[in-house]
Amino acid sequence: MITRRDFMKFVGGSFASFTALGSYAFAFEPLARLSVTRYALTPPGWTPGLKLRIVALADIHACEPWMSASRIVSICRQANDLGGDITVLLGDYASGMNFVTRHVHSSEWSKALATLEAPLGVHAIMGNHDWWEDRTAQRNGRGPTFGHRALQDVGIKVYSNEAVRFEKDGNGFWLAGLEDQRALRAGKKWKRKHLKGLDDLDGTLAQVSDTAPTILLAHEPDIFPKVPSRVALTLSGHTHGGQVRLLGHSPMVPSSYGDRYAYGHIVEDDRSLIVSGGLGCSIAPIRFGVPPEIVVVDLG
């Protein structure tokens, strides 16, 4: 029979455990951890002899104390040391969270991101929060947002349904970037009944004028079922891996497909998608089992 003393020990131990887990998820993992997650693959139809290293950063959500400008600079320095041929930014630079001590202005986070370096340049797309935090863009139903302008002002190329051709060691490849799939919010305030995306997958891929492989940047992974096999790799963020991931499963994911595209390397019909767990937090400053990460992809 359990005694009152044993019961109190159990309650006290459980409380201490939950407190420790909560402190880890709230303070340590979002603030103190940074992982480098590496993938290596050769997609079908990839050009023989073309070796390309991509360094990808997603979902920064700049705000204090969680993602200050100085922390972004520190992350960028680590990204620069990873030897990427090209660096890509997968959207959501704006905070999108109320649990902050200060919102970091776009002029600050863009200046921090300007410290990124790569031989083939730094290239960006926008995310839903970059659109949602810009009331003028929401009211007008179009951009550019303050995020577009901030990145362009520091010399970072921003893709809005655009494809650009590159070469490495005499071999060509295309980088294509979609505008956000959830850009315009619904509501009476914005005179819209439904959420509206500004992405144009067909129009973007129509700009690819030869058979060189294409890498697609798409903030939300939900576009993946529509991506044709001619695209060698799709890179996405948005989900944060669910921010809480237990035994390889995320109980809550901001995706119409649930856990299907929550995190990691997903292969369907010989098509590859890599979803970054991102760097910052959205809605609540909690991460557990999916620490902030920089993604490195070696192709070929």
Side-chain angles (χ1 to χ4, degrees):
M1 179 182 293
I2 188 169
T3 67
R4 183 177 183 277
R5 185 175 180 179
D6 291 336
F7 177 74
M8 293 306 294
K9 283 183 178 180
F10 172 78
V11 171
S14 298
F15 179 78
S17 298
F18 280 117
T19 300
L21 286 172
S23 298
Y24 175 88
F26 185 76
F28 183 77
E29 189 160 304
L31 278 168
R33 289 194 65 187
L34 178 63
S35 298
V36 176
T37 305
R38 298 177 182 270
Y39 302 92
L41 60 149
T42 302
W46 187 257
T47 304
L50 173 57
K51 293 188 179 299
L52 184 70
R53 174 169 288 184
I54 304 169
V55 174
L57 282 68
D59 302 290
I60 289 167
H61 292 290
C63 64
E64 293 182 0
W66 314 105
M67 190 62 69
S68 65
S70 61
R71 187 182 181 202
I72 296 170
V73 169
S74 176
I75 291 169
C76 290
R77 287 174 181 158
Q78 293 183 61
N80 289 341
D81 290 340
L82 293 171
D85 298 303
I86 191 167
T87 297
V88 298
L89 300 170
L90 300 175
D92 271 6
Y93 316 98
S95 172
M97 185 168 60
N98 293 323
F99 297 94
V100 303
T101 57
R102 188 177 79 90
H103 289 280
V104 176
H105 193 269
S106 59
S107 62
E108 297 176 76
W109 56 251
S110 60
K111 184 178 179 181
L113 290 171
T115 62
L116 288 166
E117 298 175 347
L120 295 177
V122 181
H123 309 268
I125 56 172
M126 307 309 291
N128 58 300
H129 284 285
D130 304 313
W131 280 92
W132 292 1
E133 296 296 318
D134 190 323
R135 294 184 179 183
T136 300
Q138 290 297 312
R139 183 172 60 251
N140 293 339
R142 63 181 184 276
T145 67
F146 60 71
H148 287 86
R149 291 190 293 267
L151 289 173
Q152 290 165 350
D153 286 347
V154 297
I156 295 176
K157 168 72 175 174
V158 182
Y159 291 65
S160 180
N161 299 321
E162 185 179 1
V164 176
R165 194 179 192 277
F166 295 85
E167 283 199 4
K168 187 197 174 202
D169 300 330
N171 294 305
F173 69 94
W174 291 82
L175 188 67
L178 293 184
E179 194 49 86
D180 190 67
Q181 301 157 56
R182 299 169 60 85
L184 302 178
R185 306 185 78 167
K188 292 181 179 179
K189 184 176 183 179
W190 314 116
K191 299 179 181 179
R192 282 186 294 272
K193 292 183 179 180
H194 304 287
L195 191 72
K196 181 181 179 182
L198 295 176
D199 55 303
D200 181 1
L201 179 62
D202 293 340
T204 302
L205 295 181
Q207 300 168 43
V208 176
S209 58
D210 61 25
T211 58
T214 299
I215 298 156
L216 178 67
L217 311 181
H219 178 65
E220 293 92 351
D222 284 21
I223 194 72
F224 187 59
K226 300 178 183 178
V227 175
S229 58
R230 63 187 286 199
V231 173
L233 172 66
T234 301
L235 291 171
S236 295
H238 181 64
T239 64
H240 302 207
Q243 288 190 190
V244 174
R245 195 160 179 85
L246 303 169
L247 301 176
H249 177 76
S250 301
M252 294 184 64
V253 182
S255 167
S256 300
Y257 295 92
D259 198 54
R260 179 174 167 183
Y261 302 135
Y263 177 74
H265 183 197
I266 299 103
V267 179
E268 293 182 355
D269 301 323
D270 289 329
R271 299 170 305 119
S272 279
L273 165 71
I274 291 176
V275 182
S276 170
L279 290 157
C281 297
S282 178
I283 310 301
I286 295 172
R287 277 182 174 266
F288 186 85
V290 55
E293 68 175 12
I294 301 171
V295 169
V296 177
V297 183
D298 285 305
L299 292 168

